[in-house]
Amino acid sequence: MKDEIRDDEAKRAAAEDSDTHDKSLMARMSSGDEDALRELIEKHQGAVYGTISKMLGDPIEAQDLAQQVFVRVYRAAGSYRATAQFKTWMFTIVRNLVFNEHRRRSRATLITLHGPDNESSGAPQGFELQDHATKTPGENALREEMLSAIDAAILALPEQQRLAIVLRRYDEFSYEQIAGILKTSVPATKSLLFRARETLRETLKSYLESK
Amino acid sequence: MKDRNFNNTPDEPRLDENDPVWKLLAESPRPEPDAWFAVRTVARCRNAGLGFDWLAFRGILRWSLCGGLGICAAVLLLSPHIRSELKAPDQKKNVQEAFEIMASMDTTSTDSTSSSTSTWQDSSL
């Protein structure tokens, strides 16, 4: 128990250090320091791109939106006031862009040019190697199917619930931070997460039972 | 089970980890950007430039509009009150003048009938 408390304190201290560093990078960026911009992008690109990708289920669109987030951060560097945590502020931009994109998509009927391949299903990309040696082709196929089902279940959630669950599960945001990003209260955030989790439990029931 | 999940506090993230849904979600990792993402993004930021911050301008415009509307509403709400306040001294002045006239009338009447008044006063005693 004491170890857990110590871990939490260490995590909190690390988060505070990281936030101070982000704010100093923003201050450097406001004076046109490109290295600071690169450092900030390299630090947060995984979280920003990953969140948008999970939210949209489209890696190509996610890349464009993630770039737009950093462009907005860069342009706002001069007027940025460190009133809240930097990460919370940046993810508010993510939220606005993603929700705008949802609204735009709901207005327009989109015809995708790329089929339901690995890339568009939100599966891991890059140089990640799959463990084909220890698993049979059948097991691999089942795993692929499960990953697709998980992504589809996340995508089927209402946008507020989806963002809450992605921020909590993949970015390990606190309830307060999520509430700040979604502009709701902490109890409302807990309620969103609870409902999202219950929906996922129902949707992914077959996979949960087989585990 | 449901209550336990719902009542998780920010200081108790470990309760999330015990949830099978949470464990299942971990199976599907968050996608990572490609190796050239940062380079491309820096180039895009460079093209966009620091420039004029429309977001900040929009914020200022919104607040100034809200402030202006607030001031107008306050003026509209307070104007009847101010008007009545301005009118009040006139009314006071009129009342005062009326009293003065009455007083002067009273003094003229008392001068002419001074004897009868004194008689009335005497009788009351």
Side-chain angles (χ1 to χ4, degrees):
Chain A
M1 183 67 186
K2 275 184 181 176
D3 286 345
E4 286 178 3
I5 293 167
R6 211 175 299 140
D7 281 354
D8 286 340
E9 279 171 4
K11 269 186 189 173
R12 215 165 287 162
E16 273 172 27
D17 283 349
S18 169
D19 188 51
T20 313
H21 183 59
D22 288 338
K23 284 169 182 167
S24 72
L25 287 175
M26 283 296 277
R28 280 168 57 196
M29 270 163 60
S30 65
S31 55
D33 188 342
E34 212 169 84
D35 290 335
L37 171 67
R38 187 173 291 113
E39 201 178 326
L40 195 91
I41 293 169
E42 280 168 0
K43 188 177 173 188
H44 295 290
Q45 61 179 1
V48 171
Y49 173 79
T51 302
I52 297 173
S53 195
K54 281 273 175 200
M55 285 296 291
L56 299 179
D58 180 352
I60 295 162
E61 195 71 45
Q63 206 161 79
D64 181 53
L65 278 194
Q67 284 186 350
Q68 279 187 48
V69 170
F70 288 113
V71 168
R72 286 197 182 189
V73 167
Y74 181 60
R75 288 177 75 97
S79 57
Y80 173 70
R81 300 282 170 271
T83 47
Q85 271 193 343
F86 171 77
K87 219 176 161 188
T88 310
W89 174 76
M90 188 176 66
F91 271 84
T92 310
I93 300 175
V94 171
R95 167 194 169 267
N96 291 338
L97 282 174
V98 167
F99 287 2
N100 282 346
E101 179 61 21
H102 270 291
R103 254 165 252 140
R104 193 185 68 81
R105 281 183 178 200
S106 62
R107 279 197 297 266
T109 313
L110 292 176
I111 301 162
T112 178
L113 293 174
H114 39 89
D117 52 0
N118 260 1
E119 212 178 46
S120 60
S121 66
Q125 303 167 57
F127 299 102
E128 196 168 312
L129 294 172
Q130 288 187 339
D131 190 9
H132 290 294
T134 54
K135 282 180 181 166
T136 63
E139 281 174 337
N140 281 327
L142 281 175
R143 187 173 161 74
E144 283 298 319
E145 190 194 297
M146 186 185 74
L147 296 182
S148 303
I150 293 170
D151 286 339
I154 293 173
L155 282 173
L157 291 171
E159 59 181 19
Q160 292 257 14
Q161 289 183 25
R162 197 186 320 161
L163 186 55
I165 209 106
V166 170
L167 291 175
R168 181 73 179 159
R169 180 66 195 96
Y170 297 102
D171 299 306
E172 294 183 349
F173 275 90
S174 69
Y175 291 121
E176 280 87 354
Q177 286 174 316
I178 299 171
I181 292 164
L182 293 175
K183 293 187 168 60
T184 55
S185 62
V186 172
T189 305
K190 284 183 181 180
S191 167
L192 275 175
L193 280 164
F194 175 74
R195 275 182 280 146
R197 225 184 282 192
E198 288 307 299
T199 311
L200 289 174
R201 201 187 306 281
E202 191 58 38
T203 319
L204 303 168
K205 200 161 56 183
S206 57
Y207 296 100
L208 286 167
E209 282 163 2
S210 65
K211 279 263 157 191
Chain B
M1 180 72 179
K2 283 182 182 180
D3 286 345
R4 194 200 67 189
N5 288 334
F6 187 73
N7 289 326
N8 282 357
T9 64
D11 299 325
E12 294 174 294
R14 278 168 188 81
L15 289 178
D16 285 336
E17 289 164 21
N18 296 329
D19 188 354
V21 175
W22 227 234
K23 284 178 185 167
L24 188 66
L25 290 181
E27 298 277 335
S28 165
R30 194 175 62 185
E32 290 292 324
D34 62 77
W36 297 99
F37 177 82
V39 177
R40 281 201 308 270
T41 310
V42 169
R44 190 165 166 180
C45 289
R46 200 185 296 134
N47 287 338
L50 276 173
F52 187 71
D53 188 1
W54 282 103
L55 274 180
F57 176 71
R58 233 172 55 180
I60 292 165
L61 192 71
R62 192 170 56 186
W63 282 111
S64 56
L65 274 173
C66 288
L69 281 172
I71 290 167
C72 285
V75 167
L76 280 172
L77 283 171
L78 289 174
S79 60
H81 181 69
I82 293 166
R83 222 175 289 149
S84 66
E85 282 286 313
L86 288 171
K87 277 183 184 171
D90 288 343
Q91 283 170 350
K92 275 181 192 168
K93 203 176 170 185
N94 289 343
V95 171
Q96 201 177 343
E97 276 172 5
F99 271 118
E100 277 170 7
I101 291 163
M102 281 165 72
S104 65
M105 281 168 71
D106 200 30
T107 48
T108 50
S109 63
T110 47
D111 285 346
S112 59
T113 57
S114 57
S115 55
S116 63
T117 317
S118 60
T119 317
W120 178 78
Q121 277 176 344
D122 286 344
S123 66
S124 70
L125 288 167

